[in-house]
Amino acid sequence: MGLVVQDPNVGRNGAGAAELVVVANRLPVEHDEVEGWRRAPGGLVSAMDAVLRDREATWVGWGGHPADDPDAAAGGPPERVGTVALVEVPLTAAEVTAHYDGFANRALWPNYHSGIVASTYHRSQFQVHREVNARFARAAAGVAAPGAVVWVHDYQLQLVPAMLRQLRPDLRIGFFLHIPFPPLELFSQIPWRVQIVEGLLGADVVGFQTRDAALNFRRAAERFADVALTAEGLAVGRPPRPVVVRAFPIGIRAADFRALAEDADVQRRAKQVRADVGEPDVLLLGVDRLDYTKGIDVRIQAITELLLDGELDPAGTAFIQVAPPTRAKVEEYQQIRAEVELLVSRANGTLGPLGTNPIHYMHQPMPPEELVALYQAADVMLVTPLRDGMNLVAKEFVASRVDGAGALVLSEFTGAAEQMDRAWLVNPHDIEGMKRTILAAIHEPRASAEARMAALRAGVARHDVHWWAEDFLAAVRGAAAVPGEDAGGTDPA
Ligand code: ADQ
């Protein structure tokens, strides 16, 4: 049975004793009908999994099944995974619809991603969102030891820091946003902008993926809250309380990717991948959740045009697009799926003689070994989001290229572009520019291509997920221990 905390004062199994508490919308496990409880996929879980591997911690989150669902997984999530105790915050189906599918994914997500699709704002959804945030705050307050560090994650829980501070002023609270923070003119559209800024300012450290995001938040805080700008962040309220605001660019488990990439079976599989798609002269690859922010459609369009123009030979080119399902209940995600599938079949239907299907589309999750084999098989990796907080795929590709080969085409609008300036940077809104850059990446002489990849690989290895977590946790500990002083930490590369 999982530990279900409904009342913050009623803790069991070590409640009130956790020195490190992670709070995220989802627990790091999900239920599969065949396999039972298993590790949940996704960037956040994969990052925190590595960080918590040898650390005692308590993870507060939703288990993934509505509490009132008659088919809900019997018994709830496990009590522990390795060194991490799991505390489930129960949500009903109606709460999931309003808080997660609704407010988080149809109001916040599109606004924070440059308004690529229009946000919809519903007062009733915000109401539920606030109640759910309060429940997360109470659950965290119930398990944290005196003076503990609480690390709150991502856009679904931005109200938690202030709520938690009110319940437990003794705690040291860090908040990290995995997605972009929008410029003031976009953020200002949100009817609850004041509540969001005040919610975040409850933390001692508010961390972002990029300097731009941190800057955007400082501007929003200046506009919508009682703050003064300081060198390291903000002074909030009266008497002023220091809040560190800066970039902590997330890294990947670089050593794990390198080890997988050196595995003989994975390398054999990489060769097989090329054989499976007909031993092309050029193999292009895209790997993204099927999300409208990822620019999958513009990428397919650019490649299709190159194939139609004869700039790329349909008989000698293969493009693999991996796009696992995500948020399938949200209408905009059904639309992007339909659009991508139409573009793929239209391109394959138009190009070349019978047997020529240059675009290979895989709408399925896959294990890390298979992803690394794909990364190794590719000549050019295409990461072309219209907006992305960081983008771990770009870093995973680079870390997997232990052979020193491969080229990365990367959108300027990813957080990764701030660190990976040796990649082939593109503006995904500019199809012609993207086509030119893809061709340049394909035809770059080997020596300069390898020099680029070597520089990129060194950066990804140095600024890995452990560097990120240590930097963030040091800032949270430092911020509370020495009020008013710079939290230190490393300057983000
Ligand atoms: P995401 O939007 O999910 O993450 P990303 O950073 O690329 O985007 O992470 C996706 C993860 O899913 C990668 O680790 C990748 O390996 C994995 N993945 C992709 N396809 C898969 C498949 N078919 N099967 C299994 N796994 C697959 C959010 C933000 C990002 C930010 C991360 C972390 O939107 O900007 O980089 O959080 O902070």
Side-chain angles (χ1 to χ4, degrees), residues 178 209 289 294 322 324 364-366 388-392 396:
H178 289 257
Q209 301 275 27
R289 279 186 308 101
K294 300 288 185 184
V322 178
Q364 44 196 273
M366 50 186 63
D388 212 335
M390 176 55 65
N391 195 287
L392 299 180
E396 292 169 3

Side-chain angles (χ1 to χ4, degrees), residues 89-377:
V89 178
L91 300 179
T92 64
E95 284 170 338
V96 175
T97 303
H99 154 72
Y100 183 67
D101 298 330
F103 193 72
N105 287 331
R106 299 197 72 186
L108 294 176
W109 178 272
N111 178 285
Y112 281 33
H113 287 87
S114 307
I116 296 164
V117 308
S119 288
T120 47
Y121 301 111
H122 293 291
R123 284 162 284 186
S124 57
Q125 288 182 347
F126 180 72
Q127 185 66 27
V128 176
H129 174 72
R130 193 168 48 199
E131 284 160 18
V132 168
N133 270 247
R135 195 172 309 152
F136 273 81
R138 287 198 299 272
V143 296
V149 166
V150 181
W151 187 350
V152 184
H153 289 264
D154 228 1
Y155 64 104
Q156 306 93 348
L157 301 177
Q158 294 175 109
L159 308 179
V160 167
M163 292 168 165
L164 189 54
R165 178 167 295 279
Q166 208 166 24
L167 291 167
R168 292 285 306 272
D170 61 300
L171 298 176
R172 289 173 290 179
I173 304 171
F175 178 92
F176 183 76
L177 187 69
H178 289 257
I179 68 174
F181 192 87
L184 187 57
E185 54 278 24
L186 256 172
F187 181 73
S188 302
Q189 293 174 2
I190 301 174
W192 304 281
R193 59 206 185 179
V194 172
Q195 288 93 323
I196 292 171
V197 166
E198 285 177 350
L200 291 170
L201 289 174
D204 296 296
V205 176
V206 186
F208 297 92
Q209 301 275 27
T210 64
R211 293 191 193 95
D212 277 350
L215 206 60
N216 287 344
F217 176 68
R218 279 160 66 108
R219 290 209 185 99
E222 240 189 324
R223 175 73 65 90
F224 298 117
D226 177 17
V227 299
L229 296 184
T230 63
E232 64 276 8
L234 300 164
V236 180
R238 278 159 229 185
R241 181 174 58 81
V243 176
V244 174
V245 177
R246 71 170 172 88
F248 298 85
I250 195 168
I252 59 160
R253 296 173 294 127
D256 292 354
F257 276 91
R258 203 170 47 239
L260 267 182
E262 280 164 355
D263 185 285
D265 286 342
V266 173
Q267 293 185 355
R268 261 194 299 278
R269 175 68 192 134
K271 287 204 178 72
Q272 186 59 42
V273 166
R274 287 192 82 102
D276 288 349
V277 294
E279 297 289 1
D281 302 325
V282 179
L283 177 53
L284 308 165
L285 175 66
V287 174
D288 320 73
R289 279 186 308 101
L290 187 38
D291 194 300
Y292 55 80
T293 59
K294 300 288 185 184
I296 303 171
D297 45 351
V298 291
R299 183 185 315 161
I300 296 173
Q301 192 182 333
I303 293 166
T304 305
E305 285 186 18
L306 286 171
L307 290 164
L308 285 170
D309 296 349
E311 306 248 36
L312 287 176
D313 171 13
T317 306
F319 170 41
I320 303 177
Q321 175 63 55
V322 178
T326 180
R327 304 177 194 168
K329 279 195 278 174
V330 179
E331 190 186 319
E332 288 78 6
Y333 288 78
Q334 295 160 7
Q335 277 166 11
I336 185 68
R337 179 177 176 189
E339 202 177 319
V340 163
E341 293 180 354
L342 182 69
L343 286 170
V344 170
S345 58
R346 193 178 280 165
N348 281 336
T350 316
L351 288 160
L354 195 63
T356 312
N357 283 324
I359 307 188
H360 303 261
Y361 163 69
M362 304 184 73
H363 185 57
Q364 44 196 273
M366 50 186 63
E369 310 85 71
E370 181 70 5
L371 279 178
V372 172
L374 287 167
Y375 291 147
Q376 279 194 323

